[in-house]
Amino acid sequence: MNIALRAVSKKFGATAAVDHATLDIADGELFTLLGPSGCGKTTLLRLMAGFYRPDGGEIWFGGRRVDDLAPHVRNIGMVFQNYALWPHMTVAANITYGLKLRKLSTAEIARRLAEGLRKVNLAGLAERYPGQLSGGQQQRVALARALVLNPDILLLDEPLSNLDAKIRVQVRAEIRTLQKDLGITTVYVTHDQEEALSLSDRVAVMRDGVILQTAPPRELYERPRSRFVADFVGVNNFVPGVCRDVAADRATIDTALGVVRGVAADGVRPGGRCVLAVRPENLVVGNGGDNIVEARVILASYLGHALRYDVEAAAGVRLKVDVRDPLHHQPLAAGQRVRIGFGSSAALVLTDDVGAS
């Protein structure tokens, strides 16, 4: 089922938690709301769920307007951050709680329970209690409880934030596989950009109640439209400057590093303040690309998949540079002079939205 939001707003006192949010989420899509704490992503999810009523705007599920409907008639499944399991009830009782409220037959409840346990790989654990389960298993119970209701839409509010890193990666892969198999429209809330990029068909980045950009993960990472999005999604080096000229899709800017070139984002104009954004993995030790910077090594950090150098260039500008094949790289010593290169196609020139970083 598709979801449409039209200028949806919600205030708490004088604070605009959601400010004229407009979205179109396709049937069967896994759509993620991404942003820092307090950006409005959970409020927007709760507006879709019906836990809050919007102060303005419209929410549509398919061809039905739902912003005035109670949660239980929207046919949604909800998975909460803290799982919200009854500790005194077995796995089976937790999963079937909503089914019993709907007064389904005993046979139908048993069928849906078995199917739900199978979907989340918990067969054989129906008689255990939440306290006897791992965090990942508890999360699967919460997911099964939502799915047995046969919802049109699945809503997940930071469902993996209480799990350790390794289990989090495993469970998110299970969620994505299950969502694709079921084809259920899913809205997922997280502050973890890696989680958002790995799971989603599309991602909306929020800040202060406003949706700043909506795009597929690769586009969001490689072509952010603002400094805030570029900074929040992944790691970036930022160098402020003034735009000298824009030709085709390339901008030439004056910076403390000298004259450099990059891909011009919307809004970049000659004479205007701007910022160069280039990711550490797109910087090369040596003469790679058409932009060359002289620098001095400050620090080396081994990250496993990469060796990251902090280098200092002209006017105290610091850059992070990733060497993605540490095994075949001769390490550089602190204080060593190096050349750092990057191609204009691998760098973005953005308008400098001051205060976003």
Side-chain angles (χ1 to χ4, degrees), residues 2-341:
N2 65 297
I3 302 172
L5 276 62
R6 296 289 177 262
V8 173
S9 297
K10 180 65 180 177
K11 285 188 175 182
F12 296 106
T15 302
V18 174
D19 190 1
H20 291 84
T22 294
L23 285 174
D24 286 290
I25 300 171
D27 182 28
E29 186 174 23
L30 197 159
F31 189 93
T32 295
L33 301 172
L34 174 67
S37 297
C39 72
K41 56 189 185 296
T42 291
T43 300
L44 188 54
L45 191 79
R46 287 174 172 265
L47 286 164
M48 294 185 207
F51 300 149
Y52 298 145
R53 186 173 178 176
D55 297 322
E58 301 177 357
I59 302 173
W60 292 78
F61 289 175
R64 180 174 66 154
R65 185 173 174 180
V66 300
D67 40 277
D68 283 332
L69 298 182
H72 69 276
V73 296
R74 298 190 186 197
N75 199 28
I76 60 161
M78 184 84 182
V79 179
F80 298 92
Q81 180 177 355
N82 63 356
Y83 316 145
L85 301 179
W86 298 102
H88 64 288
M89 294 167 58
T90 64
V91 167
N94 269 284
I95 291 174
T96 59
Y97 184 79
L99 299 177
K100 291 175 180 177
L101 290 178
R102 294 186 178 188
K103 301 187 185 305
L104 298 182
S105 69
T106 301
E108 178 64 10
I109 289 174
R111 186 190 69 79
R112 291 202 194 186
L113 171 63
E115 184 181 0
L117 290 169
R118 179 187 58 79
K119 284 177 179 176
V120 298
N121 298 316
L122 287 179
L125 300 182
E127 298 309 313
R128 292 194 185 182
Y129 290 86
Q132 298 172 310
L133 304 177
S134 68
Q137 289 171 329
Q138 290 180 42
Q139 187 54 267
R140 292 185 186 100
V141 173
L143 184 59
R145 181 180 56 191
L147 292 175
V148 295
L149 299 174
N150 292 335
D152 294 321
I153 293 166
L154 182 62
L155 306 176
L156 300 101
D157 186 10
E158 305 224 32
L160 308 182
S161 61
N162 293 328
L163 303 179
D164 64 51
K166 190 170 184 178
I167 296 299
R168 192 160 61 239
V169 171
Q170 177 186 337
V171 176
R172 82 184 183 204
E174 292 172 356
I175 289 174
R176 181 52 167 159
T177 300
L178 184 59
Q179 188 272 336
K180 289 182 73 175
D181 289 345
L182 296 176
I184 186 171
T185 305
T186 301
V187 183
Y188 191 102
V189 162
T190 184
H191 64 273
D192 185 322
Q193 54 91 17
E194 181 180 316
E195 200 170 283
L197 295 179
S198 66
L199 274 172
S200 313
D201 293 308
R202 286 189 302 147
V203 181
V205 178
M206 296 186 67
R207 181 193 185 199
D208 297 334
V210 176
I211 296 172
L212 298 181
Q213 183 174 351
T214 301
R218 183 168 182 173
E219 180 182 335
L220 197 70
Y221 187 84
E222 296 180 359
R223 290 293 181 264
R225 294 178 188 165
S226 69
R227 178 171 179 167
F228 178 84
V229 174
D231 194 24
F232 190 79
V233 180
V235 178
N236 244 311
N237 295 294
F238 295 105
V239 182
V242 175
C243 181
R244 179 182 288 188
D245 65 69
V246 179
D249 67 338
R250 294 292 192 268
T252 303
I253 67 173
D254 294 310
T255 74
L257 302 177
V259 178
V260 295
R261 298 180 73 241
V263 177
D266 291 344
V268 175
R269 299 288 183 270
R273 291 177 55 197
C274 57
V275 61
L276 179 80
V278 56
R279 296 195 182 276
E281 66 266 27
N282 291 330
L283 292 169
V284 177
V285 177
N287 295 325
D290 48 349
N291 295 298
I292 303 296
V293 176
E294 301 286 342
R296 178 174 60 91
V297 176
I298 303 297
L299 178 69
S301 305
Y302 181 69
L303 306 179
H305 66 284
L307 183 64
R308 176 166 293 169
Y309 290 107
D310 285 68
V311 303
E312 185 175 77
V317 175
R318 289 205 173 195
L319 303 171
K320 295 184 183 297
V321 184
D322 283 357
V323 175
R324 288 178 284 183
D325 187 11
L327 186 63
H328 299 96
H329 169 72
Q330 183 64 40
L332 304 173
Q336 186 171 338
R337 304 294 302 184
V338 293
R339 280 189 166 189
I340 303 299

